[in-house]
Amino acid sequence: MTRPYVLLSIAVSIDGYIDDTGPERLRLSNAADFDRVDQLRADSDAILIGAQTLRSDNPRLLVDSPDRRAARLAAGKPEYPLKVTVSAGGDLSPKLQFWHHGGDKLVYTTAAGAKRLVERLSNLADVVNLGAGVDFGAVLDDLGVRGVTRLMVEGGTRVHTALLAADLADELQMAVAPILIGTAGAPRFLAHATYPGAPNRRMRLQDVTQVGDVAVLRYFPKKSWSGVATQGRP
Ligand SMILES: NC(=O)c1ccc[n+]([C@@H]2O[C@H](COP(=O)([O-])OP(=O)(O)OC[C@H]3O[C@@H](n4cnc5c(N)ncnc54)[C@H](OP(=O)(O)O)[C@@H]3O)[C@@H](O)[C@H]2O)c1
């Protein structure tokens, strides 16, 4: 079974936060960087986001550029990438914008979550029951079977943490915005976890790009600087 290539995308403040504690979504990046992210979305077969980000930010998660959507169609792809979310509890309102824009939608959930979501989301999304828990290996296996070869993951903290802790991320693109947040209780990029090889394992820094006042760092988490896979090294 071929799992998709997994690209994590995140914008962080200088002090490592990805949002503040206000009710509105904090926009950390600049217009040019949002355009870069739009290209990443257009290059992906599917985009995944955690249920809590859906509830708190209520994103539409679209490819905004008509030219990029036209290029997808010309290449024989759907106009929009598949939109994917994960929820253990199934507490997702059918009113969220996510369900009402773009192309196909998919929810990975538990047996308990599926009981709530199948009825709530009928005609809005396919609901996949993964049993007792949402295991990201099982999610990637199923996406592979569906023909997804390139998956972009757009947060939040818990989802990125779970994928890195399970060593399932192939690439990380981190946009560092020149702001400080400093608010107690604001979410950080990653939570406490047992990361493979931490703290000695070093990711390969593939490149650094300046996008206006934002620095975009591109890492390959499973590779070291020399290009040798880090897993299993002393
Ligand atoms: N700056 C950025 O680039 C950026 C991007 C995205 C998000 N964010 C921010 O991130 C914050 C949300 O992050 P978050 O950590 O609270 O939530 P999250 O990662 O978006 O979603 C977590 C939810 O995913 C579901 N889930 C199911 N299985 C899981 C598993 N195995 N591992 C992890 N999650 C699983 C659970 O949903 P249920 O609770 O439904 O069971 C869980 O509560 C928001 O403040 C948002 O603005 C920032």
Side-chain angles (χ1 to χ4, degrees), residues 11 18-19 50 52-53 55 57 86-89 134 154 156-159:
I18 59 169
D19 197 4
Q52 185 52 39
T53 299
R55 289 187 287 260
D57 295 359
V86 287
S87 170
V134 178
E154 294 203 45
T157 304
R158 284 191 57 193
V159 163

Side-chain angles (χ1 to χ4, degrees), residues 9 11 87 124 128 150 181 190 219 230:
S9 172
S87 170
L124 293 175
V128 180
R150 190 174 171 87
I181 293 180
L190 293 171
Y219 292 100
T230 49

Side-chain angles (χ1 to χ4, degrees), residues 87-111:
S87 170
D91 178 18
L92 288 170
S93 165
K95 292 183 180 162
L96 290 167
Q97 295 199 91
F98 182 85
W99 315 117
H100 303 283
H101 300 270
D104 292 339
K105 292 101 190 167
L106 198 53
V107 189
Y108 290 99
T109 187
T110 58

Side-chain angles (χ1 to χ4, degrees), residues 3 48 86-88 108-110 129-142 162-163 166 168:
R3 289 178 173 175
L48 184 149
V86 287
S87 170
Y108 290 99
T109 187
T110 58
N129 174 353
L130 291 177
V134 178
D135 173 69
F136 274 105
V139 169
L140 296 183
D141 284 341
D142 188 74
L163 285 163
L168 292 173

